[in-house]
Structures are given as structure tokens and as C-alpha cells.
Amino acid sequence: CWEVRKHNSSEWCHFIRSNPDCRLDGGFLDYLDGVFCVFPPRLLPLAVTLYALWLLYLFIILSVTAEKFFCPNLSAISTNLKLSHNVAVFSLTSPLHGVTFLAFGNGAPDVFSAVVAFSDPRTAGLAIGAIFGAGVFVTTMVAGGIALVKPFTAASRPFLRDVIFYMTAVFLTFVVLYLGRIRLGEALGERCGSWGWWEQPGGAMTPHHSPLPGYLGLYVFYVLTVVLCTWIHRRQRGDGLAPPGPWEPEMPTDAEEPEPSGTNSGDYGEEYRPLLPSRETSLRILTTALSPLDYRKWRRKPWYWRLFKAFKVPVELVLLLTVPVVDPDKDDLNWKRPLNCLHILTSPLLCILTLKSGAYGLYQIQGVFPVWGLVTLVASALALIVFITTSNEEPPKYHCVFAFLGFLASAMWINAAATELVNILRTLGIIFQLSNTVLGLTLLAWGNSIGDTFSDLTMARQGYPRMAFSACFGGIIFNILVGVGLGCLLQMSSSQPLVKLEPDSPLVWVLAGALGLSLVFSFMTVPAQCFQLGRAYGACLIAYYLVFLCVALLTEFRVIHFSTP
């Protein structure tokens, strides 16, 4: 599709609309049609400028969603599941937390894009490149950024476990790429043998290679390992704090753990509470809860803060309408009865209307009644029941359910915004005539990693660097194992139980080697520092990524030549 600029400007629109390669996957806006059909050719610089501004606003949407809605609900879920944020037990709780909830929220764009890419054999290599590129980015730039923002002491055993599993996943992918295909057993993990021989009729023996134990099977084994390690550590801590191992430094006390910033602390008027409590009407509670501005704080802030806040207000208002937030640090757990009842309607509608760009929500049951209409009726009835059976003063016993609903809704917001970001980045790549390989390595990988970046760095700033660092490896394990395994599994059939994966560029091997080398670097240097990760370690990871990016681009533009296997 990037060849559109080689044609005459009068043929751009026809080329875009007639070329199947120019169809964007997912998203609500057709950016290619807009820039090449809606805008005349002489206004192409204006279109690029508007797209760049919209790109920056998508970054604001992702930042606000992660900081004020995604992370607080994640904290509430952790509290309800007895996953304490205490530093004294962080080494055993954070891995389970990071590889489940945070991995699910962060990995949605990667897995969805991988499934879509694997649906077409011509773009299967793009999916591998994007997953590898995102892996290098997260384990170097994001992990290094966490160490720069908040130096901390990493949990030794969870870190070693995650790196070993991730290196195994990279090795499996390298073997699959070398063989040029992935079979059902390698995707699902049916066969547990690794390297062996099959006996053919007549006694002939042929080599058979089946990586152990398969993508999805390896991820299930990884989750079970995390659960088992957590249970063992809790048993050990039942009689007191276990003594640290030779590679595990003493853990700090609770007093050293910084207080997490509340969801709406200072932004929504919580610092101005009346001295005497009063019964507020439901309408007043609703209008106060939906106000993203604290006017007293607004007056004392500088102009640049006001300008940035003005850009964030529309995003915060829409998020307040659609995403519930449970705050365990507040006496009322942030229970706002009229607004939470409204969330029972708006959050499910958000989920079905953003999932696959609204395709499921607009589907008509029996060709008559749309799914969104059914969800509206059911959710409205449920919201009315909750409103009648609860009060404004006291949250119900099932209030924790709103944390899961808010987590899902905020994850869908991140997924929808990341999808739009990926599409607009791809459009800019086509405008500037970038190849698909470079697009997967840079723009697609960066776009899919936006959720990881904002969520993990926000958690580090809020005082939870261990959880964020664990998510860098636990979440990316989810992406590569579930993304490749599920993406290939959905394309298999009983007549053809395999998917061909043939790298079309030596850049794929550069990606695989760079990812493996970065994991080996962390595997060796982190224990050497007694798991105390500071700014020097973060700076080394960021420098490594910049060097890798230069080598990859020079390889793509054939300045550096590599011989492929």
C-alpha cells in the first residue's frame, strides 16, 4: 500500500479504495481514506499535521486512562483478592498480580493485532516482527524507564523465573521460524516430546522437531508455576519472614513504602471536605462526581497546568461517565450511588461497542434486535434494582464487583485508543513510504506497547516499581505465548493443522537475536547487582535499545548485510 505515493495524485483515492492491502484492521476511523480521498493532494501537509495532533491526543487518552482509572481499579482488585501492597510481601504477591490482571490489560492490543495478522499468510511475518519488536521495547525501554523513575530492589526468584520462561518462549519462536511452520502440537502443546524421530512405513526414520511444550501449554505451565511459588512462599512466611537468600537482599519495612496517590486526590475536590457531614441529594452527588475540575485548585495553578488540564477535561469527563473507580483508601470506597448505577449501563455498552470496533455491539439478533439494545435493557433493569436497594451513604457488600467492571472498561479504553494509535501510525508510515518490516519493528511495536508503557511507568511513579517491573516480563510472556499460540491455532483446521511462518527479511533474525541478547544481559547483570536496580541499569537498557534500533534500520535499508539461515 505504501506504493500509493508513486502514482499520480489524481489516482491516490482509487488506489487506496481498490487495494486490499490498504484496509486498516479495526478502529473507528479510516485514516487512509481520509488523507488520500477527503483531503485534496495540495492539503496533504495539513492532513499530516491534524493526524499528528490527534496522535498526541491519543497519548493523553492513554495516560489519563492508565493513571486515574486503570491502576486504581487494579489496586482495588489486589486488595479484594488479599494481594497486599505491603513491601514485606511484595516479592510473592506482585508476580501473580503482574502476570494476570496487568498482563491481560496490557496484552490486549498485542494479542488482537497478532490474531488479525496471522489470519493472512502475507502478514504473519509482520505479527512476529511486531511481537519481537514490542518485546525488545518493553524489556529495555520500559524496564529501563522504571529503574530511572524509581530505583528499587527487584524480587530475586520471580525475576529469574520470568526471564527463564521468556527466554524459553523466544527460543521456541526462533525454532518455529527456522523450521518455517508451526504445527498444532507446537501451538497448543499437545505433544510433550521435544526432539525425536518418527518411524515411516518400511522402517524408514524421519526427524521430527516439536518444541516442548507448545505456546499455550507453556503459558499454562508458567501460570501454574507462579501460583505454586506464591503458595510455597506464603507457607514459608506463615512462621515469620523467611531469611533472605544469597541473592536476595533484606526487604525494607512497611514505613519505606510510599503511599499510593488516590484516584481522584486533589483533582475532584476531595481536599475540600465539609467539617460536618451532611446528607446530599442524588443529583448533587452525581454532578459533583462528574466534575473533573477542582475550581479552587484551578485558580492557584500556573497557566501551563490549566492549558494541559483543559485538554484532559473532555477525556476525563467521558471516562468518569463510563468507568467506575473503587478506592480502598477512602472511607466510602469512592461509592457514588447515582454514578455507579449509571456505570452499570455505560460500562457494558462501552465494552461491546469498542470490542472489534463495535462489530459485536451492532450485530442484530435474528436480524431484528441489535445486541447493544439487549445490553441496554438488561443493564437498565439491573441499575434500577441496585439504585432501589442501596443508599447514598454506605456502599453495598458487592461494591468490589465495580472494581472488576472498571478494570475491564478501562482496559477496553486502552485497547480502543491503542488500536486507533496503531492505525494512524501505519497511515503515517504509508504517507512517508515506510516498508511493512520497519512498520512492524517501530510503529506497530511502539503502538502496541503504549498501554504497557503508561501503565507500568504510572505504577512505578505511584510507588509500585516491583509490580511494574514484573509486568514488563510477565505481560510480555503473555503476549508472545498467547499471541503466537492463539493466533496460529485459530488459523488451523482439521485438513491443514499447520501455519507457515517464513521470514521474508533478515531483520526478523536481528529482532530475535536482539531480544534474546537483552534477556541474557538482564539475566546476568541483575543478580550481579544483588537485584538492586538503579538509574545506571536503566540507562544501559535504554542505550541498548537505541543501538539495536540503529542496527535494525541499517539492516532494513541494506547498509548492513546479514546472511539468513
Side-chain angles (χ1 to χ4, degrees):
C1 187
W2 61 275
E3 294 181 353
V4 62
R5 296 293 304 277
K6 296 181 179 180
H7 292 73
N8 190 282
S9 59
S10 60
E11 302 175 354
W12 286 355
C13 184
H14 176 73
F15 181 87
I16 289 293
R17 292 179 175 177
S18 60
N19 191 346
D21 189 52
C22 296
R23 296 174 184 173
L24 298 177
D25 296 327
F28 295 94
L29 300 176
D30 192 340
Y31 299 102
L32 285 172
D33 188 83
V35 72
F36 290 111
C37 296
V38 176
F39 287 89
R42 66 178 182 275
L43 295 182
L44 182 62
L46 176 62
V48 173
T49 303
L50 293 176
Y51 280 14
L53 294 176
W54 174 234
L55 182 67
L56 294 177
Y57 203 71
L58 286 173
F59 278 99
I60 295 178
I61 294 175
L62 288 167
S63 175
V64 173
T65 307
E67 183 175 0
K68 294 186 177 296
F69 296 88
F70 183 82
C71 291
N73 280 308
L74 198 61
S75 175
I77 292 174
S78 174
T79 301
N80 282 282
L81 295 181
K82 310 300 181 184
L83 302 179
S84 173
H85 291 304
N86 245 309
V87 173
V89 294
F90 222 111
S91 63
L92 86 95
T93 60
S94 62
L96 181 61
H97 196 87
V99 301
T100 52
F101 299 110
L102 199 58
F104 172 75
N106 289 347
D110 302 81
V111 173
F112 290 157
S113 61
V115 170
V116 172
F118 279 119
S119 63
D120 188 349
R122 296 173 300 178
T123 58
L126 179 62
I128 294 293
I131 290 177
F132 273 157
V136 179
F137 180 82
V138 172
T139 56
T140 55
M141 289 292 289
V142 179
I146 292 172
L148 287 176
V149 169
K150 190 74 174 180
F152 66 101
T153 300
S156 58
R157 286 168 290 188
F159 169 78
L160 295 175
R161 177 201 62 217
D162 290 349
V163 172
I164 290 173
F165 269 95
Y166 197 17
M167 287 191 294
T168 304
V170 173
F171 174 75
L172 292 184
T173 308
F174 185 88
V175 172
V176 166
L177 290 173
Y178 182 80
L179 298 177
R181 88 292 182 271
I182 177 172
R183 297 180 181 272
L184 179 63
E186 294 154 355
L188 190 60
E190 291 180 340
R191 295 186 292 270
C192 294
S194 54
W195 302 86
W197 296 80
W198 277 357
E199 183 176 358
Q200 301 294 334
M205 302 294 291
T206 58
H208 166 63
H209 309 291
S210 178
L212 172 71
Y215 283 93
L216 299 180
L218 181 60
Y219 185 72
V220 172
F221 180 62
Y222 169 68
V223 173
L224 293 177
T225 303
V226 173
V227 174
L228 179 61
C229 292
T230 303
W231 179 78
I232 293 175
H233 289 180
R234 282 178 175 170
R235 288 290 299 270
Q236 291 177 348
R237 302 174 68 84
D239 299 328
L241 189 65
W247 283 355
E248 186 171 1
E250 294 287 348
M251 294 183 181
T253 59
D254 295 350
E256 298 176 19
E257 176 71 6
E259 289 293 329
S261 58
T263 305
N264 298 325
S265 59
D267 276 353
Y268 307 129
E270 291 297 327
E271 56 183 311
Y272 298 101
R273 293 184 178 180
L275 296 177
L276 298 177
S278 59
R279 297 177 64 89
E280 294 182 311
T281 63
S282 297
L283 180 59
R284 182 174 178 80
I285 293 175
L286 179 61
T287 55
T288 303
L290 286 177
S291 175
L293 278 178
D294 181 353
Y295 296 101
R296 299 178 185 178
K297 186 177 181 180
W298 173 273
R299 286 196 297 266
R300 68 171 186 262
K301 287 293 184 178
W303 66 269
Y304 55 85
W305 184 93
R306 298 182 186 182
L307 180 62
F308 186 62
K309 184 68 175 180
F311 282 106
K312 294 197 301 181
V313 162
V315 179
E316 293 178 347
L317 181 60
V318 174
L319 289 170
L320 286 171
L321 278 169
T322 55
V323 183
V325 176
V326 178
D327 191 351
D329 297 329
K330 296 183 179 179
D331 294 336
D332 61 352
L333 304 178
N334 201 40
W335 166 250
K336 312 293 182 183
R337 185 177 69 146
L339 181 58
N340 289 141
C341 292
L342 182 62
H343 287 149
I344 297 177
L345 172 62
T346 57
S347 293
L349 282 176
L350 167 73
C351 293
I352 65 168
L353 291 178
T354 55
L355 186 62
K356 208 162 186 174
S357 304
Y360 293 142
L362 299 177
Y363 175 78
Q364 293 188 343
I365 303 173
Q366 300 294 328
V368 178
F369 198 72
V371 173
W372 68 264
L374 177 62
V375 172
T376 301
L377 292 177
V378 175
S380 299
L382 185 59
L384 182 60
I385 295 174
V386 172
F387 187 82
I388 295 175
T389 57
T390 57
S391 63
N392 292 332
E393 291 75 23
E394 186 178 355
K397 296 181 179 179
Y398 51 83
H399 187 221
C400 61
V401 177
F402 285 90
F404 290 90
L405 181 61
F407 170 81
L408 180 61
S410 57
M412 295 304 297
W413 266 114
I414 292 177
N415 181 37
T419 301
E420 295 298 320
L421 189 141
V422 168
N423 287 339
I424 196 172
L425 286 176
R426 183 188 174 192
T427 301
L428 294 176
I430 292 174
I431 293 173
F432 294 108
Q433 300 186 19
L434 299 174
S435 68
N436 288 335
T437 306
V438 174
L439 191 67
L441 162 65
T442 56
L443 303 184
L444 188 58
W446 294 339
N448 285 345
S449 303
I450 290 299
D452 304 62
T453 304
F454 281 110
S455 299
D456 296 341
L457 293 181
T458 298
M459 255 181 204
R461 286 197 305 268
Q462 292 183 348
Y464 306 127
R466 280 187 173 183
M467 182 188 297
F469 191 73
S470 174
C472 285
F473 294 92
I476 210 71
I477 291 174
F478 175 87
N479 296 346
I480 188 171
L481 292 179
V482 178
V484 178
L486 184 62
C488 292
L489 183 64
L490 293 178
Q491 308 311 317
M492 295 180 184
S493 61
S494 57
S495 59
Q496 189 177 6
L498 62 86
V499 173
K500 292 184 178 180
L501 298 177
E502 298 178 355
D504 55 356
S505 171
L507 185 57
V508 175
W509 304 110
V510 175
L511 283 169
L515 180 56
L517 185 60
S518 69
L519 294 176
V520 172
F521 172 78
S522 294
F523 184 74
M524 296 177 63
T525 57
V526 172
Q529 301 175 81
C530 295
F531 298 92
Q532 296 180 0
L533 306 183
R535 291 184 171 86
Y537 171 75
C540 289
L541 289 181
I542 293 176
Y544 177 88
Y545 181 79
L546 296 178
V547 172
F548 150 75
L549 190 60
C550 292
V551 173
L553 292 177
L554 292 176
T555 302
E556 172 62 24
F557 295 116
R558 302 183 185 279
V559 178
I560 300 177
H561 299 275
F562 291 98
S563 58
T564 58

